[in-house]
Amino acid sequence: MTSLFALVDCNNFYASCERVFQPQLNGKPIVVLSNNDGCVIARSNEAKACGIQMGAPLFEIKDAIAFHGIHVFSSNYELYGDMSRRVVLVLSEYSPHVEVYSIDESFLDLGNFLDVDIEKYARAIWERVPRATGIPVAVGVARTKTLAKLANRVAKKSKKANGMLVLTDPKHIEAALKATEIGDVWGIGRRYARKLSQFGVNTAYDLTRQTDSFIKKHLTILGLRTVKELRGEPCLDLETMPPAKQNICTSRSFGEALTELSDIEEALSTHAVRCAFKLRKQKSCAMAFTVFLETSRFGQDSQMYFNSRTVRLDSPSSSELVILPAALEALRVIFREGFRYKKTGVIVSGICPANQVQQSLFEPDTRQRDSNLMKTLDGLRERYGFKSVFYGVQGTSGKWQMQNSNLSPCYTTKLKDLLKAN
DNA sequence: TCTGGGGTCCTAGGACCC
DNA sequence: TCTGGGGTCCTAGGACCC
């Protein structure tokens, strides 16, 4: 029995989502910006052709935007999240085992599809997803996940493949490995790419020719796994049930620099509430959390400051009534007058399943009461949005709120949007 | 003036224990 | 004077992913 994986990757996903609802932008250059309209996180092919780089700060490309008439969007994660669900729904028609790897990528298990012409099958997926959702995709198929990733890349780049490639023939695999730069291999980042090139290892093919001990020494056992996968030996399984997260971080940069503690408290309390909500959503409790506060990391004139404080809880909790006041207390400890702050956030850690939590002996049992209240609050939030109920400390000044001046409407989830406005 | 927000895992080294 | 060896836990730092 041989394994077979397909990697389906949405092309320029965020840009494609925007285009589904503004088809007049087909063929036009589009970029989508990060939170706070900071830098470019998605580009249509036309924008790439204009020379816009991934991660480019908006202020650096203002001229290019004007010159080429590039359409600019703030990121709209509600829209992208909903489009992503639609794509996954279509994919699940093609395999009983789908791993949603990220918002725009899924692995499909095509092993045991014995009587199926895989070439035809992959092409069917490639055609069907855009027809059903409006989102164009690339499909790469191979014996290991890492090779499927590589096949997907080649499928996108090669004119001949035109967005779909089944990479199982050894001769084709070798050619693909030779055509793939080391830094484009899944699992090899910038640092490793630089290090490897010093040893004369420049392509994925070069990498497969190294000894295991060399790889393990310089790239740890994770790198060795990558190399084995490139050689065709499956080391990674499909993960259809994502494990509960071990850390959950909620943070945002402020729309503008803040100096007042009370403004920062509004932001942090909002993040703390959201973070506790995420924790409850995955049915977990946390043993500890960290609050951090920082100035801009880029400022030259103003002084930089970063500080964090970790708080251990007496017993694991997911209650806002526990986390929120303690988070604010931690913030007041690390806050210093006289800095221009740019970001704050909270990270919960030491996560365990909620049903395994033991009551602390010396604590009054407020757990049940809290849990009932949280259930009620979460119900309201899911139905009417996060603005429907909030604590006084979260405030209404919203001075910390992000900039998103080019936000598109939530086309697919509008009802929720309307309810939120009330 | 303006530079995102999430996550994962591994390794090395120190503290501490028997 | 001799002053081993093995284990666990924790943390910081460094790498990676989207």
Side-chain angles (χ1 to χ4, degrees), chain A residues 34-35 59 246 249 251-253 298 343:
Chain A
S34 63
N35 276 333
F59 70 91
Q246 297 173 32
C249 174
S251 80
R252 290 284 181 282
S253 294
F298 301 96
K343 186 175 177 181

Coordinates of all heavy atoms in Angstrom, one line a residue, chain A residues 34-35 59 246 249 251-253 298 343, chain B residues 2-11:
Chain A
S34 N -1.7 43.8 5.8 CA -1.7 43.2 7.1 C -2.7 44.0 8.0 O -3.1 45.1 7.6 CB -0.3 43.2 7.7 OG 0.1 44.5 7.9
N35 N -2.9 43.5 9.2 CA -3.6 44.3 10.2 C -3.0 45.7 10.3 O -1.8 45.8 10.1 CB -3.5 43.6 11.5 CG -4.6 42.5 11.7 OD1 -5.6 42.6 11.0 ND2 -4.3 41.5 12.5
F59 N 4.0 52.3 3.2 CA 4.5 53.6 2.9 C 5.7 53.6 1.9 O 5.9 54.6 1.2 CB 5.0 54.3 4.2 CG 6.2 53.7 4.8 CD1 7.5 54.2 4.5 CD2 6.1 52.7 5.8 CE1 8.6 53.7 5.1 CE2 7.3 52.1 6.4 CZ 8.5 52.6 6.0
Q246 N -1.3 24.7 22.3 CA -0.6 24.7 23.6 C -0.3 26.1 24.1 O 0.0 26.3 25.2 CB 0.8 23.9 23.4 CG 0.6 22.4 23.1 CD 1.9 21.7 22.8 OE1 2.9 22.1 23.3 NE2 1.8 20.8 21.9
C249 N -2.2 33.2 21.7 CA -1.7 34.6 21.8 C -2.8 35.5 21.1 O -3.2 35.2 20.0 CB -0.4 34.7 21.1 SG 0.2 36.4 21.0
S251 N -3.0 39.5 20.3 CA -2.4 40.9 20.4 C -2.7 41.6 19.1 O -3.0 41.0 18.1 CB -0.9 40.7 20.6 OG -0.3 40.4 19.4
R252 N -2.5 42.9 19.2 CA -2.6 43.8 18.0 C -1.7 45.0 18.2 O -1.5 45.5 19.3 CB -4.1 44.4 17.9 CG -5.1 43.4 17.5 CD -5.1 43.0 16.0 NE -6.2 42.1 15.7 CZ -6.1 40.8 16.0 NH1 -5.1 40.3 16.6 NH2 -7.2 40.0 15.7
S253 N -1.2 45.5 17.1 CA -0.5 46.8 17.1 C -1.6 47.8 17.2 O -2.7 47.6 16.7 CB 0.3 47.0 15.8 OG 1.3 46.1 15.8
F298 N 10.8 49.8 15.3 CA 11.5 50.4 14.2 C 11.9 51.8 14.5 O 12.6 52.4 13.8 CB 10.5 50.4 13.0 CG 10.1 49.0 12.6 CD1 8.9 48.4 13.0 CD2 11.0 48.2 11.8 CE1 8.6 47.1 12.7 CE2 10.6 46.9 11.5 CZ 9.4 46.4 11.9
K343 N 2.2 48.3 20.9 CA 1.5 47.0 20.9 C 1.4 46.4 22.3 O 2.4 46.5 23.1 CB 2.4 46.0 20.0 CG 1.8 44.7 19.7 CD 2.7 43.9 18.7 CE 2.2 42.5 18.5 NZ 3.2 41.9 17.5
Chain B
dC2 P 5.2 56.5 13.0 OP1 4.3 56.1 14.2 OP2 6.6 56.2 13.0 O5' 4.6 55.8 11.7 C5' 3.2 55.5 11.6 C4' 2.9 54.7 10.4 O4' 3.2 55.5 9.2 C3' 3.8 53.5 10.2 O3' 3.1 52.3 10.7 C2' 4.0 53.3 8.7 C1' 3.9 54.7 8.2 N1 5.2 55.4 7.9 C2 5.2 56.4 6.9 O2 4.1 56.5 6.3 N3 6.3 57.0 6.6 C4 7.4 56.8 7.3 N4 8.5 57.4 6.9 C5 7.5 55.8 8.3 C6 6.3 55.2 8.6
dT3 P 3.9 51.3 11.6 OP1 2.9 50.5 12.3 OP2 5.0 51.9 12.4 O5' 4.6 50.4 10.5 C5' 3.8 49.6 9.6 C4' 4.5 48.4 9.2 O4' 5.8 48.8 8.6 C3' 5.0 47.5 10.4 O3' 4.7 46.2 10.1 C2' 6.4 47.8 10.6 C1' 6.9 48.1 9.1 N1 8.0 49.0 9.1 C2 9.2 48.5 8.5 O2 9.3 47.3 8.1 N3 10.2 49.4 8.5 C4 10.3 50.6 9.0 O4 11.3 51.3 8.9 C5 9.0 51.1 9.6 C7 8.9 52.5 10.1 C6 8.0 50.3 9.6
dG4 P 4.6 45.1 11.2 OP1 4.5 45.9 12.5 OP2 5.6 44.1 11.0 O5' 3.2 44.4 11.0 C5' 2.0 45.1 10.8 C4' 0.8 44.2 11.2 O4' 0.8 43.1 10.4 C3' 1.0 43.6 12.6 O3' -0.2 43.6 13.3 C2' 1.6 42.2 12.4 C1' 1.0 41.9 11.1 N9 1.9 41.1 10.3 C8 3.3 41.3 10.0 N7 3.8 40.4 9.2 C5 2.8 39.5 9.0 C6 2.9 38.3 8.3 O6 3.8 37.8 7.7 N1 1.7 37.6 8.4 C2 0.6 38.1 9.1 N2 -0.5 37.3 9.1 N3 0.5 39.2 9.8 C4 1.7 39.8 9.7
dG5 P -0.2 43.1 14.8 OP1 -1.3 43.9 15.5 OP2 1.1 43.2 15.4 O5' -0.7 41.6 14.7 C5' -1.9 41.4 14.1 C4' -2.1 39.9 14.2 O4' -1.2 39.2 13.3 C3' -1.8 39.3 15.6 O3' -2.8 38.3 15.8 C2' -0.5 38.7 15.4 C1' -0.5 38.2 14.0 N9 0.8 37.9 13.3 C8 1.9 38.6 13.5 N7 2.9 38.1 12.8 C5 2.3 37.0 12.1 C6 2.9 36.1 11.2 O6 4.1 36.0 10.8 N1 1.9 35.2 10.8 C2 0.6 35.1 11.2 N2 -0.1 34.2 10.7 N3 0.1 36.0 12.1 C4 1.0 36.9 12.5
dG6 P -3.1 37.8 17.3 OP1 -4.2 36.9 17.2 OP2 -3.1 39.0 18.2 O5' -1.7 37.0 17.6 C5' -1.7 35.7 17.9 C4' -1.9 34.8 16.7 O4' -1.0 35.2 15.6 C3' -1.6 33.4 17.0 O3' -2.7 32.7 17.4 C2' -1.2 32.9 15.6 C1' -0.6 34.1 14.9 N9 0.8 34.2 14.7 C8 1.7 35.1 15.3 N7 2.9 34.9 14.9 C5 2.9 33.8 14.1 C6 3.9 33.2 13.4 O6 5.1 33.5 13.4 N1 3.5 32.1 12.6 C2 2.1 31.7 12.6 N2 1.9 30.6 11.8 N3 1.2 32.3 13.2 C4 1.6 33.3 13.9
dG7 P -2.6 31.7 18.6 OP1 -3.9 31.3 19.1 OP2 -1.6 32.2 19.6 O5' -2.0 30.5 17.9 C5' -0.8 29.8 18.4 C4' -0.2 29.1 17.3 O4' 0.5 30.0 16.4 C3' 0.9 28.1 17.7 O3' 0.2 26.9 18.1 C2' 1.6 27.9 16.5 C1' 1.5 29.3 15.8 N9 2.7 30.1 15.9 C8 2.9 31.2 16.7 N7 4.2 31.7 16.6 C5 4.8 30.8 15.7 C6 6.1 30.8 15.2 O6 7.1 31.5 15.5 N1 6.4 29.7 14.4 C2 5.4 28.7 14.1 N2 5.8 27.7 13.3 N3 4.2 28.7 14.5 C4 3.9 29.8 15.3
dT8 P 0.9 25.9 19.2 OP1 0.0 24.9 19.6 OP2 1.6 26.7 20.2 O5' 2.0 25.2 18.3 C5' 1.6 24.5 17.1 C4' 2.9 24.0 16.5 O4' 3.7 25.1 16.0 C3' 3.8 23.3 17.4 O3' 3.7 21.9 17.3 C2' 5.2 23.6 17.0 C1' 5.0 24.8 16.1 N1 5.7 26.0 16.7 C2 7.0 26.3 16.3 O2 7.6 25.5 15.5 N3 7.6 27.4 16.8 C4 7.0 28.3 17.6 O4 7.7 29.3 18.0 C5 5.7 28.0 18.1 C7 5.0 28.9 19.0 C6 5.1 26.9 17.5
dC9 P 4.3 20.9 18.5 OP1 3.6 19.7 18.4 OP2 4.3 21.7 19.8 O5' 5.8 20.8 18.1 C5' 6.2 20.4 16.8 C4' 7.7 20.6 16.7 O4' 7.9 22.0 16.8 C3' 8.4 19.9 17.8 O3' 9.3 18.9 17.3 C2' 9.2 21.0 18.5 C1' 9.1 22.2 17.6 N1 9.1 23.5 18.3 C2 10.2 24.4 18.1 O2 11.1 24.1 17.4 N3 10.1 25.6 18.7 C4 9.1 25.9 19.5 N4 9.1 27.1 20.1 C5 8.0 25.0 19.7 C6 8.0 23.8 19.0
dC10 P 10.2 18.0 18.3 OP1 10.4 16.7 17.5 OP2 9.7 18.0 19.6 O5' 11.6 18.8 18.3 C5' 12.2 19.0 17.0 C4' 13.5 19.7 17.3 O4' 13.3 21.0 17.8 C3' 14.4 19.0 18.4 O3' 15.7 18.8 17.8 C2' 14.3 19.9 19.6 C1' 14.0 21.3 19.0 N1 13.3 22.2 19.9 C2 13.8 23.4 20.2 O2 14.9 23.8 19.8 N3 13.0 24.3 21.0 C4 11.8 23.9 21.4 N4 11.1 24.7 22.2 C5 11.3 22.6 21.1 C6 12.0 21.8 20.3
dT11 P 16.8 18.0 18.6 OP1 17.7 17.3 17.6 OP2 16.1 17.2 19.7 O5' 17.6 19.1 19.3 C5' 18.1 20.2 18.6 C4' 18.9 21.2 19.5 O4' 17.9 22.0 20.2 C3' 19.7 20.4 20.5 O3' 21.0 21.0 20.5 C2' 19.0 20.7 21.8 C1' 18.3 22.0 21.6 N1 17.0 22.3 22.3 C2 16.8 23.5 22.9 O2 17.6 24.4 22.8 N3 15.6 23.7 23.5 C4 14.6 22.7 23.7 O4 13.6 23.0 24.3 C5 14.9 21.4 23.1 C7 13.9 20.3 23.2 C6 16.1 21.3 22.4

